[in-house]
Every structure is written in C-alpha cells, then in structure tokens.
Amino acid sequence: MDRPHVIVLFGATGDLARRKLLPGLLRLFEAGLLKDARIVGTSLEEVDTEHFVKLARDACEEFGKGELTEDSWARFSPMLSYVPQSYGPMALAEAVSMAEAELVAELGTIADNIGRLHYVSVPPKAALDVLSQLDEAGLVDRSRIIMEKPFGTDLASSKVLNERVHQVFDESQVFRIDHFLGKEAAQNILAFRFANGLFEPIWNRNFIDHVQIDVPEMLGLEGRAAFYEGTGAYKDMVVTHLMQVLAFMAMEPPTSLAPGPISDEKNKVFRSMRQLDPANVVRGQYDGYRGKNGVAGDSDTETFIALKVEIDNWRWAGVPFFLRTGKKMAEGARIISIAFKEPPLTMFPAGSNAGTHGPDHLTFDLADQSKMSLSFYGKRPGPGMKLEKLSMQFATNETISSSSVLEAYERLIYDAMRGDHTLFTTADGVETLWEKSQPLLDNPPPVRAYSPGSWGPNAIHQLIAPHAWRLPFERSWRASKND
C-alpha cells in the first residue's frame, strides 16, 4: 500500500462480500498487504457493528483459505465497522471520518494522506444511488471506486452509466472489475507471450489455426434465476469475462506493462473485431430453467452460448476465436486452447497415426492454481514409425512460490488501492464491446434446449466445424506431485 486506506464496502452483507471480499481482505491483511486500513461496511441490513463483525468472521471461517486463528482475528476484527444504508449519506460520512481519525491517531499522519476505496458490490440499479450517496457525503476526494459488472446492458445504457459515473468521479478514479483478469493464469498469458522468444514469433495467423475460450459451469441458477432472466449468459459472461481474456490473447505487444499501454492494445483488439453475426451464435437453455421462480414460462433467456468471433487485423485475419459458456454443463472448467496449424504429413506412412489426434495445442487452465500444457506428436519407442500424442505440463502449485498466489479479488482490491489500472476495463473498451454486440442483441437466434449435464445444444458442432471442441479433453491433466 502506498498510503493508509479506509475501505467502504457497499453490499457488505451480500453474497459476494461473504464469499470473496471479506475473506479476501482478511487474507490481504494476513499477507501484510493491508496493514494500515479500516473497513466500513454498509448495506440494507439494519444491524450494528457487533453483528457485522460476527457475520464477517462466519464468512471468513466458511470461505477463507486455511484455518482462521484467534490471534489473526483479534488483530483483524478491530478494523471493521458498520453503518446501515438507511441512516443516509451523512451517517456514512461520519463513519468514514471516525475511521480516518483512528488512523490519524494511530499513525501520526493527517487525514489528507489517507486514501479511500469504495467497493460497490450492489445490483446494477443500486449502483447509481451509491454514486449519488458518495457525492452527497463528500467522499469523492482522495478516493477510488471499484464497480462490479454488468456495465450496462447495451451500448445506450453503458453510455448513460459511464456519463453518470463521470459526473461524480474522474475516469482515473474508476476501476471496473473483471475478476477473470485478476487470476494468476490470465496474467501469465502476458508473461508467456512477451517474455519468451519461442512463442511470440508464432503468435499469429501464419501459425495458429483457431482459438477456443471455454468456460462451462456445472452450477445452475439457484437463487439467481430472477436476476439471470433479465441478463443471460452473453451479458453475464461473454461481453465481460470471455472478451477480456480474448483481448489478452490477441493484443499486440504494449510499449510497456503499464496500465495505459495495455488498455490501449486491448481496446485496439475490440475495435478490430467484426460485429457479431447472429448466424455465428448458438444460444441454449437447459431443461428445467423455465420452471424456476422468477422465470417466464416462455423465457427466451439463454443459459448457454457459443459464438465465433473474428478479428480483422494483420495478426489475426482468418483465425476464428470460438467462445463457449453455460450453466448446468457436464464439467466446470476455464480453458484457453490454441490450435496450431498442421504441417504436411504426406511423408509419414499409412498407419503411423500422424495427425489422427488433431493439431498441436497450447492450453491454459485459468484455475486459481493455473496450469499450462503443450501437446505434440512424438515417436512411440520401438520399431517402425508409430506416433502418439504427448504433452508437457506445468502447474503453478508445483513451484516454491505457489503459496504466494493471490486469488483474483484479492489481487484486484490490492491493485485498486495502489491505483494500478492494468487489470481493469475502461469506459471506451466497454462501449466498443457493446457496439460490436448490437447485431446479436437486436436479432438473437432462438434458444435451443439442452440437457443438464451435457455440453450444450448439438448445434455447437456445426458452429465450430471443421474443427472440434477441445472440451472434454482426450487426455487428463497430469496429477500434481503434491496431490
């Protein structure tokens, strides 16, 4: 941390705060990255600080990493306080002022040296009310604000939202969070591409045949169906998470790994994308979705989507990017799979197995403990020319520094406190993506039914033909030596 901070957590009793934010703040504290700070929780719940501290402890015990010790909690819990939203802007301002006064007394500093980080973990419609409340409370100076997706539902609404945000905050103060970019594996894409002379020269249309970004989920929509009914898989996952990962995969080398150059190159990718053609999209809905509370009997909301994205620039022209995500699917995974072009194989004799297992692949697994795999053909030991598919694999948890890996929300909260925009999205990038999405939003193809526990509607195979989906894998990941 470059200075002490007061963190205001809007939606402090909500699901995201319980599962990720409160345990994440505790872990940052235990790691020595959140030393001089106070955390002010606020939400619609009419509770006091004592109740909030108990809620926070329960959340950290249930969702935190490792065992919560009495010593650790005794040092962390005094940082917490709470004020209900119903008490109004002035009560929130007073709570922040008291937290700052504690830091002033403790550190011998002045209030102007204390930063403020507002984390807006509330439904989209409530986000604008939070902006007004912060403005009225006088809590905009010395502050940064983290905003959760969705950033609008189309181009018009995203422009309205950004305009309202900019009436209160300067763009330099705004951090639009996408937790996929906070994952160690996503950042490793940049290191893998730009720090190795072996791969960057072949990272283009001359050597890469196609790319798949595949994020199936086994979970359904328990408790979220009413929210999801007005959103769907595309707005919830693709225009946010998957497109941001695509940008890391496809961007040109930035002039430096600073926030400005990285954002510039990501936005160039978005501007180079062709508008999405509804003919290159498969929408699906799992059987049983329409029977849920809050879901219309004739709902056309997709719980699954697969699409082809085309990037019209010198590096990627002619290379399709296939994106897929959905609920209630056969497996939960977060995979980027790069298929390289196949060489001429006519020299190999019949029966050699050359090319029979598809092209060589480079695969990134975006799990919290990330993995990478490079598959290739090699000669099977013995007489004759028999080939088999082999792979070299790497897992973060096999390195000596694996215990230092921060989870996505932890990393992004820490970056926001330091003012580092590298892994956050920009207003320009968000609006460009909605612009490219407009043909699909205006004319979505009908949803196709699929069975829970499957890989989606059968039409996905026509979408990707003559290629094939990489998931499910034909080979499993090598077991870790730590397992």
Side-chain angles (χ1 to χ4, degrees), residues 31 42 57 79 110 173 182 229 255 260 329 346 361:
T42 182
R57 174 161 188 163
M79 297 168 60
I110 60 174
Q173 296 175 278
E229 177 68 356
T255 55
M329 297 187 69
T346 53
H361 282 91

Side-chain angles (χ1 to χ4, degrees), residues 9-61:
L9 185 54
F10 290 87
T13 60
D15 185 59
L16 180 62
R18 289 179 58 253
R19 288 187 298 107
K20 295 293 184 182
L21 305 183
L22 290 168
L25 289 167
L26 171 63
R27 187 152 185 259
L28 287 173
F29 172 76
E30 292 176 331
L33 302 176
L34 191 68
K35 289 183 178 178
D36 304 320
R38 293 294 185 273
I39 300 164
V40 179
T42 182
S43 74
L44 299 177
E45 297 286 334
E46 297 276 349
V47 298
D48 57 15
T49 293
E50 182 181 357
H51 183 97
F52 176 62
V53 170
K54 182 180 183 306
L55 180 148
R57 174 161 188 163
D58 291 344
C60 292
E61 287 179 337

Side-chain angles (χ1 to χ4, degrees), residues 149 151 176-182 186 189-190 213 237-251 262-263 266-267 269-270 273 323 336 366 422-426 428-431 433:
K149 68 174 180 71
F151 312 115
R176 297 170 186 81
I177 193 168
D178 182 341
H179 72 270
F180 266 50
L181 296 189
I189 295 170
L190 299 182
I213 301 175
M237 288 290 292
V238 177
V239 79
T240 51
H241 305 320
L242 273 64
M243 290 295 192
Q244 298 298 326
V245 172
L246 181 150
F248 267 23
M249 288 294 306
M251 62 190 279
I262 286 182
S263 292
K266 285 171 56 184
N267 290 343
V269 173
F270 300 146
M273 283 171 47
L323 281 53
I336 304 169
L366 300 184
T422 304
L423 301 176
F424 294 85
T425 59
T426 65
D428 181 42
V430 169
E431 291 179 8
L433 283 173

Side-chain angles (χ1 to χ4, degrees), residues 179-193 245 248-249 334-336 363-372 394 396 405-408 411 423:
H179 72 270
F180 266 50
L181 296 189
K183 292 181 177 295
E184 195 77 14
Q187 300 162 56
N188 204 22
I189 295 170
L190 299 182
F192 190 87
R193 285 188 58 188
V245 172
F248 267 23
M249 288 294 306
R334 296 165 180 175
I335 295 293
I336 304 169
T363 303
F364 293 88
D365 184 338
L366 300 184
D368 290 325
Q369 290 285 359
S370 62
K371 293 177 281 193
M372 291 187 297
F394 161 80
T396 302
V405 173
L406 293 177
E407 287 194 350
R411 169 65 187 264
L423 301 176

Side-chain angles (χ1 to χ4, degrees), residues 152-460:
T153 56
D154 55 19
L155 179 58
S157 62
S158 69
K159 285 186 172 180
V160 169
L161 176 60
N162 284 326
E163 184 180 349
R164 292 286 299 275
V165 169
H166 292 154
Q167 287 173 357
V168 180
F169 290 92
D170 183 78
E171 178 67 13
S172 64
Q173 296 175 278
V174 182
F175 292 75
R176 297 170 186 81
I177 193 168
D178 182 341
H179 72 270
F180 266 50
L181 296 189
K183 292 181 177 295
E184 195 77 14
Q187 300 162 56
N188 204 22
I189 295 170
L190 299 182
F192 190 87
R193 285 188 58 188
F194 301 130
N196 296 293
L198 177 61
F199 288 101
E200 181 55 24
I202 61 171
W203 210 265
N204 57 56
R205 58 188 167 87
N206 296 321
F207 297 93
I208 292 177
D209 184 74
H210 68 279
V211 177
Q212 297 179 34
I213 301 175
D214 212 349
V215 187
E217 298 179 286
M218 296 178 70
L219 295 175
L221 292 164
E222 291 72 17
R224 296 184 65 224
F227 158 77
Y228 206 82
E229 177 68 356
T231 306
Y234 182 77
K235 295 177 182 178
D236 186 49
M237 288 290 292
V238 177
V239 79
T240 51
H241 305 320
L242 273 64
M243 290 295 192
Q244 298 298 326
V245 172
L246 181 150
F248 267 23
M249 288 294 306
M251 62 190 279
E252 294 295 322
T255 55
S256 74
L257 292 181
I262 286 182
S263 292
D264 290 344
E265 296 305 333
K266 285 171 56 184
N267 290 343
K268 287 179 186 177
V269 173
F270 300 146
R271 288 193 290 269
S272 298
M273 283 171 47
R274 291 185 182 179
Q275 288 204 311
L276 296 180
D277 184 350
N280 291 329
V281 178
V282 175
R283 297 168 69 236
Q285 186 185 91
Y286 67 79
D287 293 330
Y289 172 75
R290 290 180 179 175
K292 293 187 172 295
N293 289 334
V295 176
D298 59 349
S299 171
D300 190 51
T301 298
E302 80 277 359
T303 61
F304 168 97
I305 191 164
L307 63 154
K308 180 169 75 170
V309 176
E310 298 172 286
I311 301 174
D312 242 350
N313 61 21
W314 274 73
R315 184 181 289 262
W316 296 114
V319 179
F321 287 72
F322 296 101
L323 281 53
R324 176 173 65 169
T325 187
K327 304 292 185 183
K328 289 274 190 183
M329 297 187 69
E331 186 180 323
R334 296 165 180 175
I335 295 293
I336 304 169
S337 187
I338 299 139
F340 292 99
K341 290 187 174 180
E342 296 190 72
L345 299 172
T346 53
M347 72 180 72
F348 291 95
S352 67
N353 293 330
T356 56
H357 293 285
D360 300 337
H361 282 91
L362 176 64
T363 303
F364 293 88
D365 184 338
L366 300 184
D368 290 325
Q369 290 285 359
S370 62
K371 293 177 281 193
M372 291 187 297
S373 170
L374 178 63
S375 70
F376 53 91
Y377 287 95
K379 182 183 177 300
R380 183 183 302 168
M385 181 57 73
K386 279 280 190 180
L387 306 183
E388 61 183 342
K389 206 69 177 289
L390 308 170
S391 70
M392 294 188 295
Q393 297 187 7
F394 161 80
T396 302
N397 62 359
E398 294 179 350
T399 66
I400 59 174
S401 57
S402 62
S403 60
S404 302
V405 173
L406 293 177
E407 287 194 350
Y409 282 100
E410 298 163 1
R411 169 65 187 264
L412 293 171
I413 291 171
Y414 178 61
D415 283 356
M417 283 192 295
R418 297 186 303 121
D420 186 344
H421 277 89
T422 304
L423 301 176
F424 294 85
T425 59
T426 65
D428 181 42
V430 169
E431 291 179 8
T432 301
L433 283 173
W434 283 123
E435 179 186 354
K436 301 296 184 178
S437 304
Q438 205 59 50
L440 174 61
L441 300 179
D442 291 339
N443 188 29
V447 293
R448 301 167 184 258
Y450 66 97
S451 300
S454 70
W455 288 100
N458 287 332
I460 61 171

Side-chain angles (χ1 to χ4, degrees), residues 58-92:
D58 291 344
C60 292
E61 287 179 337
E62 182 176 358
F63 299 106
K65 278 193 170 182
E67 182 181 355
L68 177 60
T69 65
E70 289 297 332
D71 175 67
S72 178
W73 186 251
R75 291 183 293 114
F76 177 73
S77 58
M79 297 168 60
L80 302 172
S81 62
Y82 184 86
V83 57
Q85 282 275 285
S86 59
Y87 285 18
M90 292 306 103
L92 179 62

